[in-house]
Amino acid sequence: MKKIINNPADCVPEMVDGLVRTYPQIVEQISDTEAVVRSDKASMKGKVGIVSGGGSGHEPTHAGFVGKGMLSAAVCGQIFTSPTPDQIYEAIKASNSGAGVFMVVKNYSGDVMNFDMAKDMAEMDDIKVKSIVVDDDIAVENSLYTQGRRGVAGTIFMHKILGYYAQNGASLDEIDKIAHVVLPNIKTIAVALSAATVPEVGRPGFELAEDEIEFGVGIHSEPGYRREKIQPSRALAAELLEKLDEKLSLNKEKKYAMLVNGMGATPLMEQYIFSHDVLDLLNEKGIVPVFSKVGNFMTSLDMAGISLTLFELKDDKWLEALNAPAETIAWQKG
Amino acid sequence: MKKIINNPADCVPEMVDGLVRTYPQIVEQISDTEAVVRSDKASMKGKVGIVSGGGSGHEPTHAGFVGKGMLSAAVCGQIFTSPTPDQIYEAIKASNSGAGVFMVVKNYSGDVMNFDMAKDMAEMDDIKVKSIVVDDDIAVENSLYTQGRRGVAGTIFMHKILGYYAQNGASLDEIDKIAHVVLPNIKTIAVALSAATVPEVGRPGFELAEDEIEFGVGIHSEPGYRREKIQPSRALAAELLEKLDEKLSLNKEKKYAMLVNGMGATPLMEQYIFSHDVLDLLNEKGIVPVFSKVGNFMTSLDMAGISLTLFELKDDKWLEALNAPAETIAWQKG
């Protein structure tokens, strides 16, 4: 293992420290936690707070999406490990300005349990809390660490949509309703060329041969559904798109947002080549996404690979929400 | 070699196609070239055009920095290969709206020669062209492909500064003057954990042992100045900072911008840990950067490693320029 770190046990606190000191105009650390909250408190006033979080190792998720128009706070657990309820509770308190707090939780058993406990703690303080569990990964029905489907890169779309509505004054009940209407329309699937190496473990989560890939892996090196020889980008795109088509019934009469997401070690050049192939294949169906992004959004440390998310935009307001500005570290203008 | 590509020879055209189709609101392709120009033509009207470019493989550089407030156009050469003069010439033409064009060239012999030839071609068309050759890398005096010092991640600061002045109506002569005043204040140095693999070559540009790093490498796997065993992040930060101190005479009475740049395969977590260490070491000197960014800006395909840029802000206008909004794919709000 060759990494730019100090003591493996210090990775998360040092990372959070580096993040808040690099971008003090956007995020600040919540005292005695590894959670961050929006620096611009004025923009949170009277609005529903949107809180997310999970294990670290997926940067820029989630802290990179804290800022006006997106998340209010994010909790950074240990690497690939759920944050503790007390830390989530602090993020809820820091995000609450009286209108309540909505939590976006990726579907991993530890996250679901700990966010629920934090919600209970907050409710004892009379803070109203609601939540959604994102399960956009269509690869496998159940998985390591997960009952049901995993929550992966599509979570970023959920952050953006809900952050927009919260910023525009939607109530907690309205946000809860929108989240549940939006969720079934976001679907993701990934392919990996290599696994992530957790610093405290020191070796990759699984081994792939030099010419081998795995379809359907999760963001913690969980198994996928098939291993085979590496194929051209276009064949990978076709496989992932076929799986998404099964769930979303792709249709040229509908509108879609696309997210091509690098898993951490995959160069942007490869992501754009893959994006070119996906767009070609969609075009063959008469579909041109009305919104698209390519980049490292939901990574898995140094995993090489890519995920493809499609989001059916059933409501034009959702497109408006995606296009609206967000003053975060990682949601670029593009 | 395991990469998400199709035919290695098609990497650049497919990448450019993927880029412009993903972000049509920001960039469009210049016909019959692998160059891109700002989609928002209105923002270019009457302003000096700012053109950059170079070999591909450094994404998001340079096309990711095309947009209002930054570059007007960018030319994407073959991987690690200078773009041809005719393509640069097309980018100049597409960027000229009568006020002339300023070219930002990284110091590589091929780039310098080809941008110069394009300038000659443009001048025969009565387009006024001036340029700067960026040589911010302090690692080695001469290098493969370079007479003098190499141009690396600090080039992004040059893009942002000049883009700001151009957007605000500075003349070609004024921009030329600013560029040459700014340049000596931007210094960069890198450390690599692994080399890049060019698709058409199929093997890494150099080999490092499993526990070995190399200080001072360039962005095309050019040699650095020393190999040794991997060290903790803090020791790497101290070494790079000491080299920068020799050139910039770091002083707490001065103001600095910092750019921590991932080389492509290095996770953001490691970049933030490194940033934490750099900020600690600067603080020991009484220095807190007034502007900072961390992320993949000037990459080298799948190279693992990091570069550190410091930019002494001798003029408060330069800080204003860095903080001003830019509507590009890759220069985030943060």
Side-chain angles (χ1 to χ4, degrees):
Chain A
M1 179 184 67
K2 195 156 51 166
K3 287 180 183 289
I4 301 172
I5 60 172
N6 296 297
N7 183 345
D10 296 332
C11 282
V12 175
E14 290 182 355
M15 171 189 74
V16 173
D17 180 79
L19 179 93
V20 298
R21 286 162 74 192
T22 300
Y23 297 107
Q25 75 280 26
I26 300 182
V27 286
E28 59 187 49
Q29 196 161 358
I30 302 172
S31 306
D32 303 319
T33 71
E34 306 305 341
V36 304
V37 62
R38 208 184 283 185
S39 301
D40 170 20
K41 297 291 186 298
S43 71
M44 294 165 62
K45 206 154 180 188
K47 316 290 188 191
V48 170
I50 309 285
V51 171
S52 193
S56 291
H58 308 301
E59 293 67 31
T61 292
H62 296 275
F65 301 109
V66 171
K68 185 176 176 183
M70 225 164 154
L71 299 179
S72 311
V75 199
C76 310
Q78 285 301 305
I79 296 175
F80 293 177
T81 302
S82 175
T84 54
D86 58 306
Q87 298 231 341
I88 302 167
Y89 172 52
E90 293 300 324
I92 291 172
K93 281 199 289 186
S95 303
N96 179 47
S97 67
V101 171
F102 193 83
M103 307 190 305
V104 180
V105 185
K106 300 196 300 304
N107 188 30
Y108 294 97
S109 306
D111 285 345
V112 171
M113 188 173 67
N114 290 357
F115 276 83
D116 265 352
M117 287 173 64
K119 177 175 186 270
D120 291 344
M121 294 163 77
E123 284 173 344
M124 284 193 283
D125 269 356
D126 290 325
I127 301 174
K128 280 186 294 179
V129 179
K130 294 189 175 243
S131 64
I132 190 153
V133 175
V134 178
D135 59 351
D136 57 314
D137 188 344
I138 62 168
V140 291
E141 187 57 59
N142 294 293
S143 183
L144 284 174
Y145 327 125
T146 323
Q147 285 199 305
R149 298 188 181 277
R150 302 173 296 219
V152 292
T155 310
I156 311 307
F157 279 145
M158 185 64 81
H159 292 348
K160 187 65 175 65
I161 296 281
L162 301 185
Y164 168 83
Y165 279 99
Q167 197 61 49
N168 283 282
S171 70
L172 184 58
D173 285 340
E174 286 166 340
I175 286 172
D176 184 50
K177 191 176 162 196
I178 291 158
H180 288 87
V181 173
V182 162
L183 182 62
N185 299 294
I186 303 177
K187 300 294 176 193
T188 301
I189 189 163
V191 60
L193 280 63
S194 70
T197 296
V198 175
E200 290 198 294
V201 177
R203 57 175 194 284
F206 57 83
E207 294 287 350
L208 286 174
E210 181 47 43
D211 61 350
E212 209 178 29
I213 57 170
E214 181 159 342
F215 286 108
V217 292
I219 55 175
H220 313 93
S221 300
E222 304 98 318
Y225 62 84
R226 195 171 81 243
R227 278 189 189 192
E228 60 185 27
K229 298 275 184 202
I230 178 80
Q231 301 174 27
S233 168
R234 177 152 307 221
L236 302 180
E239 164 98 16
L240 299 191
L241 210 49
E242 188 189 319
K243 295 281 181 188
L244 290 170
D245 195 6
E246 285 170 19
K247 297 292 174 190
L248 287 170
S249 304
L250 299 175
N251 182 318
K252 66 182 175 185
E253 305 303 324
K254 300 174 182 173
K255 289 181 184 166
Y256 299 94
M258 174 189 87
L259 179 69
V260 170
N261 173 63
M263 302 300 276
T266 290
L268 210 41
M269 173 178 281
E270 297 177 37
Q271 298 177 38
Y272 280 123
I273 291 169
F274 178 82
S275 163
H276 150 90
D277 290 319
V278 170
L279 291 167
D280 272 358
L281 292 164
L282 285 173
N283 285 184
E284 287 174 11
K285 296 179 191 289
I287 296 169
V288 178
V290 293
F291 181 93
S292 42
K293 268 191 187 292
V294 173
N296 293 345
F297 292 89
M298 175 74 74
T299 64
S300 180
L301 294 169
D302 52 354
M303 176 185 272
I306 216 157
S307 72
L308 175 61
T309 301
L310 288 177
F311 173 15
E312 185 190 335
L313 301 169
K314 286 195 171 142
D315 186 329
D316 282 344
K317 279 285 262 184
W318 302 352
L319 178 58
E320 194 179 316
L322 292 178
N323 278 321
E327 300 183 3
T328 70
I329 297 166
W331 180 270
Q332 318 99 316
K333 164 73 185 166
Chain B
M1 179 185 69
K2 196 158 48 167
K3 287 182 182 287
I4 300 172
I5 60 173
N6 297 298
N7 183 345
D10 296 332
C11 282
V12 175
E14 290 182 355
M15 172 189 74
V16 173
D17 179 79
L19 181 93
V20 297
R21 286 162 73 190
T22 300
Y23 298 106
Q25 74 280 27
I26 301 183
V27 286
E28 58 186 49
Q29 195 160 358
I30 301 172
S31 306
D32 302 318
T33 71
E34 307 303 342
V36 304
V37 62
R38 208 184 283 186
S39 301
D40 169 20
K41 298 291 185 303
S43 71
M44 294 165 61
K45 203 152 185 191
K47 317 289 188 192
V48 171
I50 309 286
V51 171
S52 194
S56 291
H58 308 302
E59 292 68 34
T61 291
H62 296 275
F65 302 109
V66 171
K68 185 175 176 183
M70 225 161 154
L71 299 179
S72 311
V75 199
C76 310
Q78 284 302 304
I79 296 176
F80 293 178
T81 302
S82 174
T84 54
D86 58 306
Q87 299 232 339
I88 303 167
Y89 171 53
E90 293 300 325
I92 293 171
K93 282 199 290 187
S95 304
N96 180 47
S97 65
V101 170
F102 193 83
M103 306 189 304
V104 180
V105 185
K106 299 195 302 305
N107 188 30
Y108 294 97
S109 306
D111 285 346
V112 171
M113 188 174 68
N114 290 357
F115 276 83
D116 266 353
M117 286 174 65
K119 178 174 186 270
D120 291 343
M121 293 163 79
E123 284 172 345
M124 285 193 283
D125 269 356
D126 290 323
I127 302 174
K128 280 186 294 179
V129 179
K130 296 192 173 239
S131 64
I132 191 153
V133 175
V134 178
D135 59 352
D136 57 313
D137 188 346
I138 62 169
V140 292
E141 188 56 57
N142 293 295
S143 183
L144 284 174
Y145 327 124
T146 323
Q147 284 200 306
R149 298 187 182 278
R150 303 174 294 221
V152 290
T155 309
I156 311 306
F157 280 144
M158 186 64 81
H159 291 347
K160 186 67 176 65
I161 296 280
L162 301 186
Y164 168 83
Y165 279 98
Q167 196 61 50
N168 284 281
S171 70
L172 184 59
D173 285 342
E174 286 166 338
I175 286 172
D176 184 51
K177 190 173 163 200
I178 292 159
H180 288 87
V181 173
V182 162
L183 182 62
N185 299 293
I186 302 177
K187 300 294 178 194
T188 301
I189 188 163
V191 60
L193 279 63
S194 72
T197 296
V198 175
E200 289 197 296
V201 177
R203 57 176 194 282
F206 56 82
E207 293 287 348
L208 286 173
E210 180 48 42
D211 61 350
E212 208 178 29
I213 58 170
E214 181 158 342
F215 287 107
V217 291
I219 54 174
H220 312 94
S221 301
E222 304 98 320
Y225 61 84
R226 196 170 82 243
R227 278 189 188 193
E228 59 185 27
K229 299 274 184 202
I230 177 80
Q231 302 173 27
S233 168
R234 178 153 306 221
L236 303 180
E239 164 98 17
L240 300 192
L241 211 48
E242 188 189 320
K243 295 281 180 189
L244 290 170
D245 195 7
E246 284 170 18
K247 297 291 173 190
L248 287 170
S249 303
L250 299 175
N251 182 317
K252 66 182 176 185
E253 307 302 325
K254 299 176 183 172
K255 289 182 186 167
Y256 300 94
M258 173 189 88
L259 179 68
V260 169
N261 173 61
M263 303 299 276
T266 289
L268 210 40
M269 173 177 281
E270 297 178 36
Q271 298 178 38
Y272 281 122
I273 291 170
F274 179 83
S275 163
H276 151 90
D277 289 319
V278 170
L279 291 167
D280 271 359
L281 293 163
L282 285 172
N283 284 184
E284 287 173 12
K285 296 178 191 289
I287 295 169
V288 178
V290 293
F291 180 93
S292 42
K293 268 192 188 292
V294 173
N296 294 346
F297 292 90
M298 176 74 76
T299 64
S300 180
L301 292 171
D302 53 354
M303 176 183 273
I306 216 156
S307 72
L308 175 62
T309 301
L310 288 177
F311 172 17
E312 186 189 335
L313 300 170
K314 286 195 171 140
D315 186 328
D316 283 343
K317 278 286 262 184
W318 301 352
L319 178 57
E320 196 180 315
L322 292 179
N323 279 320
E327 300 183 3
T328 70
I329 297 166
W331 180 269
Q332 319 98 316
K333 164 73 185 168

